[in-house]
């Protein structure tokens, strides 16, 4: 049966062990080179304070001071209490306490900073998930409810137009023109509703998967911007999670947006494939490239969003120039079977 020691015992025991190790090394080296006795003990204090905190650091300081005074300061093997001994011991103790305090405080600040980053990352993931769910809900409501209302209104106007065509009188043509104009406006509104709903959450991403969504987005981008979008290799049926597919698709959208806005490119090449158990998406253009200032500047919020999406999936993203001309965005994330395999291993 395993017996777990209290954390405090481990921390303070570590202080004793670190001082003992510093003493052992100093005793081994002492007959050979007569080193200064304090450095290794100061190292022991620093390590103890970093790993155990202020209390163990203070204990290591007191033990180190006593050991140094007893074994390495003349007269040896006694605590004389002389002024020279006391002054040296006091200086060493102050140094040790100061080091312990600074190191432990720095460690605590680092732990708090790391915890804050982890909490912010978790919050970011939660917000991303909520935003995507809300996008999907709004898209469905726009498409289903508003689209149905507009379609019904179109049928009513069509009926009125047919009815007006059977009437006679001087205002017949004017009425028909007005109804036809209204029908065109309704058709435009229906197209806008479909476009907005699709941009909020493309149905193809949920129904046919990531590969089909990439193909649809590439075609739509080419039609809207006139920039040729070549799909070099698109692997289908990759086991990517719902969150992973959404993140990769949003990164693809953001990359294409950057191409249209900033690159002055005429062509984009897209690869989506499985490489060593990871999903790899590569988007390369033949534009004017991207500068280092744009990668890290205050206006690169889109790039920061791409990096954060990949980081949440424990993936990697690189943005670099392509042969001195153009930009390449490459995204790598682990696939679901790789994640489960790693966990089971």
């Amino acid at each position: 049966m395993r017996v777990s020691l209290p954390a405090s015992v481990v921390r303070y025991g570590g202080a004793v062990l670190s001082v003992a190790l510093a003493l052992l090394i100093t005793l081994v080296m002492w007959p050979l080179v007569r080193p200064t006795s304090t450095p290794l003990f100061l190292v022991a204090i620093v390590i103890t304070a970093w790993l155990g905190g202020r209390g163990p650091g203070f204990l290591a300081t007191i033990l180190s001071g006593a050991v140094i005074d007893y074994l390495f300061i003349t007269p040896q093997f006694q605590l004389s209490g002389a002024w020279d001994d006391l002054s040296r011991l006091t200086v060493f103790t102050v140094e040790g306490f100061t080091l312990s305090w600074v190191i432990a405080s720095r460690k605590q600040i680092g732990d708090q900073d790391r915890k804050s980053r982890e909490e912010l990352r978790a919050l970011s993931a939660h917000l991303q998930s909520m935003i995507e769910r809300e996008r999907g809900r709004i898209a469905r409501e726009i498409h289903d409810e508003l689209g149905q209302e507009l379609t019904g209104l179109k049928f009513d106007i069509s009926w009125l137009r047919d009815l007006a065509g059977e009437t006679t009188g001087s205002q017949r043509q004017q009425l028909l023109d007005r109804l036809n104009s209204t029908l065109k406006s309704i058709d435009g509104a229906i197209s806008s509703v479909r476009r907005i709903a699709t941009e909020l959450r493309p149905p193809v991403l949920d129904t046919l998967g990531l590969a089909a969504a990439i193909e649809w987005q590439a075609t739509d981008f080419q039609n809207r911007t006139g920039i040729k979008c070549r799909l070099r290799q698109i692997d289908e049926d990759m086991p990517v999670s719902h969150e992973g597919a959404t993140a990769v698709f949003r990164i693809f959208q953001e990359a294409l947006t950057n191409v249209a806005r900033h690159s002055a490119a005429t062509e984009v090449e897209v690869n989506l494939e499985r490489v060593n158990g990871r999903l790899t998406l590569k988007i390369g253009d033949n534009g004017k490239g991207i500068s280092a200032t744009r990668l890290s500047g205050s206006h690169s919020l889109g790039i920061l969003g791409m990096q954060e999406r990949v980081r949440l999936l424990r993936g990697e993203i690189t943005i670099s120039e392509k042969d001195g001309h153009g930009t390449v965005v490459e995204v790598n994330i682990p696939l679901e079977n790789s994640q489960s395999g790693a966990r089971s291993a």
Side-chain angles (χ1 to χ4, degrees):
M1 184 178 65
R2 297 180 59 183
V3 179
S4 58
L5 297 175
S8 59
V9 173
V10 174
R11 289 165 53 230
Y12 284 94
V16 176
L17 182 61
S18 64
V19 173
L21 184 60
L23 173 61
L24 178 61
I25 297 174
T26 304
L27 288 175
V28 170
M29 297 174 61
W30 189 265
L32 302 176
V33 294
R34 289 279 176 171
T36 304
S37 58
T38 56
L40 287 176
F41 290 97
L42 289 175
V43 171
I45 293 170
V46 169
I47 295 175
T48 301
W50 180 262
L51 297 177
R54 295 188 185 94
F58 291 164
L59 176 60
T61 299
I62 295 172
L63 292 176
S64 297
V67 168
I68 291 172
D69 189 24
Y70 187 75
L71 294 178
F72 301 104
I73 295 178
T74 306
Q76 293 179 294
F77 308 114
Q78 64 176 340
L79 299 175
S80 64
W83 170 250
D84 290 343
D85 290 352
L86 290 177
S87 61
R88 284 192 293 264
L89 183 59
T90 300
V91 171
F92 178 83
T93 303
V94 171
E95 290 177 351
F97 280 177
T98 303
L99 276 175
S100 298
W101 184 272
V102 170
I103 295 298
S105 299
R106 178 66 184 85
K107 177 70 161 39
Q108 184 178 10
I109 293 172
D111 291 342
Q112 291 174 349
D113 182 58
R114 183 168 54 255
K115 182 180 178 182
S116 298
R117 288 199 301 269
E118 292 173 354
E119 291 174 349
L120 288 174
R121 195 157 292 145
L123 177 61
S124 176
H126 178 65
L127 290 176
Q128 293 285 1
S129 178
M130 289 182 61
I131 288 171
E132 291 298 334
R133 285 199 300 267
E134 192 66 13
R135 279 173 177 249
R137 184 188 66 80
I138 295 173
R140 286 191 298 270
E141 289 186 0
I142 289 177
H143 183 273
D144 295 342
E145 298 183 13
L146 188 55
Q148 288 176 5
E149 293 291 338
L150 288 172
T151 302
L153 182 59
K154 179 180 178 180
F155 287 142
D156 292 340
I157 298 297
S158 298
W159 178 78
L160 289 174
R161 183 189 61 180
D162 295 339
L163 184 62
E166 299 174 0
T167 62
T168 59
S170 60
Q171 295 183 344
R172 175 178 179 273
Q173 189 59 43
Q174 183 179 358
L175 180 59
L176 286 174
D177 292 342
R178 179 64 61 85
L179 290 174
N180 285 329
S181 176
T182 304
L183 282 174
K184 289 181 180 179
S185 298
I186 292 175
D187 286 337
I190 291 174
S191 298
S192 297
V193 164
R194 290 173 178 170
R195 176 180 57 80
I196 294 171
T198 301
E199 289 178 354
L200 282 171
R201 181 73 184 183
V204 65
L205 181 60
D206 297 320
T207 56
L208 299 180
L210 177 61
I214 293 290
E215 293 175 355
W216 167 83
Q217 184 64 55
T219 302
D220 181 70
F221 173 78
Q222 180 171 300
N223 294 335
R224 284 188 295 105
T225 63
I227 301 174
K228 187 175 182 180
C229 200
R230 300 171 58 189
L231 304 178
R232 304 286 293 182
Q233 180 175 352
I234 302 295
D235 292 349
E236 300 181 357
D237 300 326
M238 284 189 288
V240 58
S241 65
H242 177 76
E243 293 79 8
T246 299
V248 171
F249 180 75
R250 295 303 183 193
I251 290 171
F252 182 59
Q253 283 185 316
E254 182 64 31
L256 292 182
T257 299
N258 290 337
V259 170
R261 288 180 179 175
H262 308 295
S263 71
T266 59
E267 184 175 290
V268 179
E269 290 187 358
V270 181
N271 290 272
L272 178 69
E273 54 187 331
R274 184 203 302 253
V275 178
N276 298 326
R278 298 173 70 88
L279 181 150
T280 298
L281 172 68
K282 185 181 293 185
I283 310 111
D285 65 67
N286 63 347
K288 60 184 180 181
I290 186 170
S291 63
T293 55
R294 277 185 52 203
L295 282 175
S296 58
S298 59
H299 300 291
S300 59
L301 296 180
I303 294 176
L304 291 175
M306 295 163 63
Q307 293 171 339
E308 185 60 26
R309 285 183 184 273
V310 172
R311 192 177 294 116
L312 292 172
L313 296 170
R314 295 184 291 110
E316 300 174 351
I317 180 171
T318 57
I319 304 174
S320 57
E321 288 191 346
K322 182 177 67 174
D323 300 328
H325 192 68
T327 304
V328 176
V329 178
E330 183 171 347
V331 177
N332 292 277
I333 65 169
L335 294 169
E336 278 197 319
N337 57 354
S338 300
Q339 293 174 342
S340 61
R343 283 192 296 266
S344 61

